[in-house]
Amino acid sequence: MGLFDYFHANRNSADVAKERLSILIARDHFHRNQPSFLAALQNELLEVIKKYVDIDQDDVTVSLDREEDCEILELNIALPEKGRYKEA
Amino acid sequence: MTRVIVVTSGKGGVGKTTTSAAFATGLALQGYKTAVIDFDVGLRNLDLIMGCERRVVYDFVNVINKEASLNQALIRDKRIENLHILPASQTRDKEALTMEGVEAVINELKETFDYIVCDSPAGIEHGAYMAMYFADEAVVVTNPEISSVRDSDRILGLLASKTKRVVENRTPVKEYLLLTRYSPERVKNGEMLSVDDIQEILSIPLLGVIPESQSVLTASNQGIPVIINKNSRAGLAYSDCIGRFLGEEIDLRFIDVKKGGIFGKFFGGR
């Protein structure tokens, strides 16, 4: 299928636009309502963890999810191999 | 009591200035004393659309800086009674619009005018923020185009959080959707978002739909607000918007594909 065919797919473009917009706007609203402390929280957590474990910025990910009326703060830390524990 | 209306959109080129000119003119034609302010400092255009560009002596920033009085800067429309224009400055930058300065000018206008229409610049920077801050009502101008709808949603977020009414815990700014450059043919062919689609996504009351029309360019070429042209579908659609804004119940028109026949041939596409 060439690029030309791609633009002539069966669905009409207005429907595609509406679907894309609905998803986009839901996501915009989600980000708009996200607390502004999230980035600061991530940095402070990183500082604390760094005291004990040798990790980089990239080893920590923070995300906020929403289900019904409950918010889930998810924190992922990839721990390095044993040799890099500071106390050891 | 004076009402302050901001005409805003986020995205540029969707018809804010055309709408501001039409709105202010329409309200004045209904007998209300109306002032329209150009907030687009550095890119003044409202004077062109209103056809008074050669009569600009002083501007909004001059009044804020007390280099001229409000009466010296206000331009009285030559065609329509009750209509006054406060042009933007072409040479300063947007920071010249201080919060205190803008408030002082709006308060002084409130002493004489029934309606103050604020023509916002595009974007969400200082100028746009100043234009919306003192508003009681907002007309959000949107094209049936994906980026315009998204930007309008962003502006709605700002209207709900960054205006004086919200800061002072009063009832929030009343928001209206105004859809411009609408093409019923393209909607029918599935090539354009429909008025229902857009209203569903933005979920604010619809003030009107302005059809895509050559008469809008003709009007701006001539410096005559399109609402004055009673042979133009865009002009008539704007008149309907004014009626609805003032509380009349008026059915939408020009949103379905034109019927053929001799009538359509005479009046179509204007």
Side-chain angles (χ1 to χ4, degrees):
Chain A
M1 189 168 97
L3 197 60
F4 186 76
D5 302 319
Y6 195 73
F7 286 110
H8 285 77
N10 284 332
R11 293 181 64 201
N12 73 45
S13 66
D15 289 342
V16 177
K18 191 185 178 188
E19 187 185 312
R20 289 177 63 213
L21 257 178
S22 307
I23 295 168
L24 189 64
I25 282 181
R27 212 183 55 188
D28 283 351
H29 285 196
F30 172 74
H31 284 291
R32 197 187 293 164
N33 297 328
Q34 216 161 46
S36 53
F37 62 75
L38 217 60
L41 175 70
Q42 179 168 358
N43 281 331
E44 279 182 45
L45 282 171
L46 189 68
E47 288 308 310
V48 172
I49 295 161
K50 263 186 181 168
K51 280 188 192 172
Y52 304 98
V53 189
D54 189 15
I55 55 165
D56 295 328
Q57 183 94 37
D58 295 342
D59 296 327
V60 180
T61 54
V62 183
S63 70
L64 191 69
D65 245 319
R66 194 162 298 165
E67 278 173 23
E68 305 277 304
D69 51 356
C70 157
E71 282 181 358
I72 302 161
L73 183 69
E74 192 179 294
L75 185 65
N76 267 306
I77 305 163
L79 287 177
E81 284 162 30
K82 239 184 181 174
R84 285 162 66 201
Y85 281 89
K86 287 194 171 172
E87 266 182 340
Chain B
M1 215 182 95
T2 311
R3 303 291 286 175
V4 181
I5 308 165
V6 60
V7 177
T8 184
S9 72
K11 190 167 157 40
V14 296
K16 281 182 298 297
T17 301
T18 299
T19 299
S20 299
F23 231 78
T25 306
L27 289 167
L29 283 171
Q30 293 295 317
Y32 295 101
K33 274 197 79 111
T34 306
V36 54
I37 311 177
D38 190 349
F39 274 78
D40 206 348
V41 174
L43 294 168
R44 164 167 98 205
N45 277 325
L46 180 68
D47 53 333
L48 283 174
I49 303 297
M50 300 288 296
C52 63
E53 69 276 7
R54 290 162 68 179
R55 296 166 62 210
V56 176
V57 182
Y58 295 109
D59 59 55
F60 194 10
V61 174
N62 289 138
V63 181
I64 287 175
N65 293 345
K66 300 200 163 62
E67 294 150 357
S69 74
L70 186 56
N71 277 328
Q72 285 176 306
L74 277 176
I75 302 172
R76 235 186 88 204
D77 193 272
K78 278 192 167 160
R79 290 172 293 254
I80 294 145
E81 230 184 319
N82 297 328
L83 182 57
H84 288 74
I85 300 116
L86 184 56
S89 169
Q90 184 67 332
T91 49
R92 321 279 180 112
D93 57 46
K94 299 213 190 290
E95 308 310 313
L97 298 177
T98 60
M99 175 94 81
E100 299 74 25
V102 174
E103 183 164 35
V105 171
I106 287 184
N107 283 342
E108 197 179 338
L109 286 169
K110 279 182 175 176
E111 290 168 17
T112 5
F113 290 94
D114 300 313
Y115 285 103
I116 301 169
V117 178
C118 303
D119 181 21
S120 172
I124 50 172
E125 311 289 314
H126 183 72
Y129 176 47
M130 283 301 105
M132 73 166 69
Y133 190 74
F134 299 98
D136 301 304
E137 277 152 294
V139 175
V140 179
V141 183
T142 308
N143 285 172
E145 201 233 317
I146 193 161
S147 54
S148 173
V149 179
R150 185 199 202 177
D151 289 0
S152 292
D153 180 70
R154 180 92 172 89
I155 282 290
L156 289 171
L158 295 177
L159 283 167
S161 60
K162 295 262 159 96
T163 50
K164 192 163 190 269
R165 294 190 75 94
V166 176
V167 172
E168 291 178 350
N169 265 324
R170 291 188 286 155
T171 52
V173 177
K174 220 168 164 184
E175 300 150 338
Y176 299 99
L177 173 63
L178 188 96
L179 206 51
T180 55
R181 309 202 67 165
Y182 197 70
S183 169
E185 291 81 9
R186 305 201 73 185
V187 172
K188 193 184 170 210
N189 293 335
E191 300 166 356
M192 184 181 269
L193 289 163
S194 73
V195 55
D196 293 335
D197 290 341
I198 295 167
Q199 220 198 333
E200 186 188 320
I201 288 166
L202 294 177
S203 56
I204 55 170
L206 179 70
L207 192 61
V209 180
I210 312 300
E212 172 82 68
S213 163
Q214 294 172 2
S215 57
V216 174
L217 182 60
T218 311
S220 84
N221 285 342
Q222 298 173 325
I224 303 168
V226 69
I227 196 168
I228 293 176
N229 184 353
K230 295 296 176 203
N231 293 316
S232 153
R233 301 194 307 149
L236 293 172
Y238 271 120
S239 296
D240 290 353
C241 291
I242 296 294
R244 290 186 202 108
F245 184 79
L246 296 172
E248 286 174 54
E249 279 198 27
I250 302 171
D251 286 339
L252 288 172
R253 47 179 167 167
F254 315 124
I255 57 162
D256 295 314
V257 177
K258 288 192 293 269
K259 290 178 187 72
I262 193 154
F263 234 68
K265 282 191 184 117
F266 271 115
F267 294 102
R270 291 216 195 153

